[in-house]
Amino acid sequence: MRVTESRLHDIATSSLTKARSEVARSGAELSSGIRVQRPSDDPVAFAEGARVAAKQTIANAHKSSIARSRERLQATEGALQTIGDTLLRITELAIQGANETCAGTARISLAVEIRELRQAALNAVNTQAEDGTYLFGSFGNDTPPFDAAATYAGGTATRQADVGPGLVLPASLPGSVLTTLAGPSAENVFGVIDNIEAALAADNGDGVTAELDRLQRAVRQVALARGSAGGYVQALETAEETRAKLMESLVEIRARAISADPIEAATSLAKAENSLEAARLSAQELLAAAALGGR
Amino acid sequence: MSSINSLLFVGSNAIQAQGAGVASAGKNIANANTEGYQRELIDLSPLQGPPLLGGVRVIGPYRVDTQFLSRREQEANGGYGAALSQSSALAEAETAVGGVGGSELVDAVAAMWAGFIGVSAAPLDEAARASAVNDASELARVFQRLSRELGETRASCDQRITDMAATATKLAAEIADVNAAVIANKDPALLDKRDLAASKLSELLGGTAIVDANGQMSFAIAGGTLVVDGIHSYSVQAVPGLGPDGYSAVRVVDGVHVDDVTGRLTGGKIAGELAVRDGVAATAMADLDNLAGALAIRVNAQHAAGIGLVDATSRDLFVSASGGPITAANITVDAAIVADARHLAAAAVGSGPNSSNNDNALLLAGIRSEALPVIGRTAVDESIRIIGVVGQAKANADRDVTVGETRVDSLAALRDSLSGVSVEEELIRLAAFRNASDAAANFVATVNSMLQQLLEKL
């Protein structure tokens, strides 16, 4: 086949252009650390990378949601512990007050202490979270869930939190868990406290004795509520562990899909540079061969 | 028997013939780098005459050419031209539909879902609400920008089509002019000029040229539409407003008859631009509109099923900035919600003012996992699909460019092998003809010397 000088020039130019282009591409990949910079570089990998990035954004939102919900439930758990401790002290005082040896002013002193303990418990159930909502308020926020008479005015709904792909977990406990709304054999915790206080104030030992079983049930009820809150916290912590593992695997998947392996990229660049040097040398030879024809 | 004069005739004839050879070699060397030049050769054949006489006859010069190779080159040019322009236009479209980082739409959709999750976790938190509204607004802005930039891409394609149509008309006229000129004078330079014009025309329009027995070239494109027919050339026009979506239609006009070839061009740069303008980019715009519309309808339906902190009635989250159905070009967030994020409907209807109910925020966030009506995919998946289609088209076009380039290159190598000028070869020819010319001159000098001697004797 005839090869003209013009053809030799074209081959030299074309080889150099291609070699330079490959050096530029490899250099860009190595310096950016990204193999797939645009969809056309590798449409399948790009789609995977974009999908993973979207999941990472959602997972980050779940992290915040879990953190907020856990804080709220931990505060709820703390409030229930306060109420539980209060009930244990009230139990001691009630047993003391029910005793025949305790009468008159002694019972009145016990009633005064129980009133103070009642107020502390009432403050605990009307605690507000950082966002201004009442821990035990269900969804109402304009007034405290328990009024001065310790009557519950909130709802029975539990707030849910979006914590993972297709996963929604409870993020609150309504104040109804401390009332007869909690279940068939549930007690009105503050009602029991009020009855014991009233009996002591009236020096009525039998009245106090009559409330002791109810008081025990109230103590168990608060413990159960605390257990529920603790269980919800545990579930959220498990959700967070799962989320963290998911994030790790998402990072890995995204890196595999679109990131450049530095060693491979450096090797590719070195090869491209060698090819460019070879193209330069061959271009010199080709052009020299072409020039011979003009002599 | 030969006479002295006859011998002189043989000598002068030989000098002229070798001189023609020197001229042809010289012309080839002079045009070694001329674009489109095809080398010329001459053939020498013995001139018949009486014994010991005769001479040499020059046949040519003739161009070294083959119509078969020319047609293959034109077909390859058409395919390569289409792939090249398509790849270039798709690079614009890919940037337009991908936005910042190549996946801006996907990121914006995901951010909006994340915003709703944030509000569901803290429905009374002003910052969470403001962030969610901002994410929804940003999504609307991204839709608008991508739609606008895709429109600009299509407009750029349209402008290039208009420019290329004008160039094609000029090339067609050039071919027709040469056809007229070669009737009287088959100058190889004219034929080279015509072939070059045909090659460039095939790169723009696809199509191939045919040269008939009279040396007249006709050029036909898609479906047999003639652009050049002998000494007549037809106008290639890009007429605004008559094509899809108000863009230009490509027509071949021969005075009265108008042939709309917009949908029929399969080769050439114009076809490549049309494939993007009316194909990939148009589809991407339509898909963006469908996604914006479907997403807005679904989100609005859920938003309207909830209530804001300060609302007595429900409202839509997304509205059309220009009225009418929501599209990618006009989607925006309700101005009242933008002004006051408390209008974001995170609570279920009936929750009462200032409620920390988050039921509706949870349902809004849950839309992320739903297949949108009609589209049949989640919003994230559909966004990825829209961007991916353009990316895949670009990747395919790049591959076609590589294949086309290889094909054009191999045909160019064949062309060069056949018609290209090898300076070395021409120098050898030049030397051969020059030596033969020197020998012929010696012959003439010898015969002349013989004549002189004869005349002196007489």
Side-chain angles (χ1 to χ4, degrees):
Chain A
M1 182 163 135
R2 290 178 68 247
V3 178
T4 65
E5 290 77 18
S6 170
R7 181 76 192 138
L8 292 176
H9 283 122
D10 288 344
I11 291 170
T13 307
S14 163
S15 304
L16 275 172
T17 303
K18 282 182 185 154
R20 280 200 191 104
S21 174
E22 183 54 28
V23 166
R25 190 202 64 75
S26 302
E29 187 176 309
L30 181 63
S31 62
S32 68
I34 306 282
R35 181 181 65 86
V36 180
Q37 306 215 0
R38 57 189 75 78
S40 55
D41 290 341
D42 185 339
V44 172
F46 182 83
E48 192 174 10
R51 194 166 284 114
V52 164
K55 286 181 180 172
Q56 285 174 315
T57 300
I58 304 289
N60 279 332
H62 284 146
K63 182 176 181 179
S64 298
S65 177
I66 290 169
R68 277 184 187 260
S69 302
R70 195 166 54 192
E71 257 176 53
R72 184 187 186 87
L73 282 168
Q74 282 169 341
T76 302
E77 223 185 333
L80 287 169
Q81 181 171 2
T82 301
I83 296 165
D85 291 345
T86 301
L87 285 178
L88 287 175
R89 178 61 184 153
I90 292 175
T91 303
E92 286 172 9
L93 296 175
I95 290 170
Q96 195 178 332
N99 200 313
E100 283 173 6
T101 61
C102 178
T105 54
R107 282 187 176 145
I108 290 171
S109 294
L110 293 177
V112 167
E113 189 178 340
I114 286 176
R115 172 138 301 262
E116 283 167 6
L117 288 169
R118 177 192 182 277
Q119 188 57 52
L122 192 59
N123 291 343
V125 293
N126 284 334
T127 305
Q128 284 176 293
E130 272 191 31
D131 61 359
T133 58
Y134 288 98
L135 289 181
F136 293 93
S138 189
F139 295 132
N141 293 294
D142 286 339
T143 54
F146 289 87
D147 62 15
T151 305
Y152 181 64
T156 57
T158 301
R159 184 189 297 175
Q160 305 291 310
D162 193 327
V163 298
L167 181 61
V168 166
L169 291 177
S172 73
L173 272 183
S176 57
V177 298
L178 301 174
T179 71
T180 53
L181 296 170
S185 53
E187 292 291 345
N188 182 347
V189 171
F190 282 94
V192 172
I193 295 174
D194 287 344
N195 288 349
I196 290 174
E197 188 209 337
L200 285 170
D203 198 14
N204 178 359
D206 291 337
V208 174
T209 303
E211 292 295 318
L212 286 179
D213 284 347
R214 291 186 67 204
L215 188 55
Q216 285 309 300
R217 283 198 291 275
V219 168
R220 273 198 300 276
Q221 189 170 318
V222 170
L224 273 173
R226 196 171 155 211
S228 293
Y232 295 163
V233 169
Q234 190 63 46
L236 286 171
E237 281 169 358
T238 303
E240 172 55 27
E241 280 172 22
T242 306
R243 189 207 65 81
K245 282 185 187 151
L246 173 66
M247 276 299 267
E248 277 175 24
S249 71
L250 287 176
V251 166
E252 216 174 296
I253 292 170
R254 189 146 193 257
R256 258 203 321 268
I258 67 169
S259 295
D261 181 291
I263 296 173
E264 273 183 32
T267 306
S268 176
L269 178 60
K271 279 184 188 169
E273 284 172 342
N274 286 343
S275 298
L276 177 59
E277 190 51 35
R280 278 201 192 107
L281 288 172
S282 70
Q284 274 177 7
E285 294 299 321
L286 284 170
L287 293 175
L292 277 176
R295 292 201 194 112
Chain B
M1 287 290 283
S2 58
S3 67
I4 298 287
N5 284 338
S6 301
L7 290 176
L8 283 174
F9 172 77
V10 169
S12 94
N13 177 248
I15 289 171
Q16 282 177 12
Q18 304 312 319
V22 166
S24 113
K27 188 178 179 187
N28 287 341
I29 290 169
N31 286 287
N33 292 323
T34 303
E35 188 191 6
Y37 179 79
Q38 301 192 54
R39 68 182 175 134
E40 293 173 16
L41 297 177
I42 61 165
D43 281 340
L44 302 177
S45 78
L47 197 59
Q48 286 187 338
L52 297 180
L53 286 177
V56 60
R57 190 161 60 107
V58 175
I59 303 169
Y62 60 90
R63 290 164 76 239
V64 181
D65 185 23
T66 158
Q67 271 213 59
F68 173 77
L69 183 57
S70 296
R71 292 198 67 176
R72 293 288 84 77
E73 282 178 306
Q74 285 153 13
E75 283 166 8
N77 282 344
Y80 182 53
L84 206 59
S85 68
Q86 195 167 355
S87 173
S88 174
L90 281 170
E92 278 184 49
E94 187 178 47
T95 303
V97 78
V100 174
S103 60
E104 197 177 4
L105 181 61
V106 184
D107 298 340
V109 171
M112 185 180 73
W113 301 137
F116 290 148
I117 291 172
V119 171
S120 74
L124 296 188
D125 187 326
E126 282 181 19
R129 283 178 166 269
S131 178
V133 171
N134 189 52
D135 290 333
S137 296
E138 180 58 23
L139 175 59
R141 279 192 290 271
V142 169
F143 266 122
Q144 286 183 20
R145 189 169 68 251
L146 298 191
S147 177
R148 187 175 61 245
E149 289 183 2
L150 272 175
E152 285 169 5
T153 297
R154 294 182 77 192
S156 294
C157 289
D158 197 53
Q159 183 57 52
R160 286 192 292 270
I161 288 167
T162 301
D163 294 342
M164 285 191 277
T167 305
T169 300
K170 283 183 193 155
L171 289 168
E174 206 173 298
I175 293 172
D177 289 345
V178 171
N179 279 341
V182 300
I183 290 173
N185 168 25
K186 285 192 171 51
D187 183 354
L190 287 174
L191 299 179
D192 286 344
K193 183 179 171 189
R194 186 176 68 180
D195 281 354
L196 186 61
S199 175
K200 289 180 178 174
L201 191 57
S202 65
E203 200 176 317
L204 287 179
L205 284 175
T208 51
I210 296 176
V211 179
D212 65 17
N214 297 323
Q216 294 289 289
M217 177 182 276
S218 60
F219 195 99
I221 59 172
T225 301
L226 285 174
V227 178
V228 179
D229 186 10
I231 61 173
H232 303 290
S233 72
Y234 307 134
S235 172
V236 181
Q237 298 176 356
V239 183
L242 295 184
D245 297 333
Y247 290 110
S248 304
V250 180
R251 301 164 138 195
V252 177
V253 180
D254 68 346
V256 176
H257 183 65
V258 174
D259 195 354
D260 190 321
V261 295
T262 311
R264 294 193 343 238
L265 289 173
T266 54
K269 287 183 173 176
I270 292 180
E273 297 285 351
L274 285 170
V276 175
R277 188 196 76 181
D278 300 340
V280 178
T283 303
M285 277 186 85
D287 286 346
L288 273 181
D289 284 340
N290 289 341
L291 175 59
L295 183 61
I297 287 172
R298 181 63 192 95
V299 168
N300 281 350
Q302 191 59 60
H303 194 267
I307 202 91
L309 288 176
V310 294
D311 289 313
T313 54
S314 55
R315 62 176 75 225
D316 286 343
L317 176 62
F318 290 113
V319 296
S320 162
S322 57
I326 292 177
T327 65
N330 65 27
I331 185 172
T332 189
V333 173
D334 184 323
I337 299 177
V338 172
D340 186 351
R342 291 179 301 170
H343 290 299
L344 189 66
V349 166
S351 299
N354 223 29
S355 168
S356 63
N357 180 292
N358 68 343
D359 289 350
N360 208 47
L362 285 170
L363 290 171
L364 280 167
I367 297 173
R368 72 183 183 271
S369 306
E370 289 178 16
L372 294 173
V374 178
I375 287 178
R377 282 181 204 85
T378 66
V380 162
D381 284 344
E382 179 63 5
S383 304
I384 291 172
R385 188 195 70 82
I386 292 172
I387 298 169
V389 162
V390 178
Q392 185 65 61
K394 171 74 166 70
N396 291 345
D398 287 346
R399 200 179 49 239
D400 291 343
V401 166
T402 303
V403 168
E405 196 174 36
T406 305
R407 197 166 164 226
V408 164
D409 201 47
S410 69
L411 286 170
L414 274 176
R415 163 66 63 192
D416 192 71
S417 170
L418 181 70
S419 313
V421 174
S422 167
V423 173
E424 269 183 347
E425 205 176 277
E426 296 304 322
L427 286 173
I428 292 168
R429 282 180 69 225
L430 187 66
F433 282 122
R434 191 194 64 199
N435 288 343
S437 178
D438 288 349
N442 278 338
F443 172 72
V444 168
T446 302
V447 171
N448 191 47
S449 167
M450 285 167 58
L451 183 59
Q452 289 297 322
Q453 279 186 357
L454 193 62
L455 286 174
E456 279 169 12
K457 293 282 191 278
L458 293 175

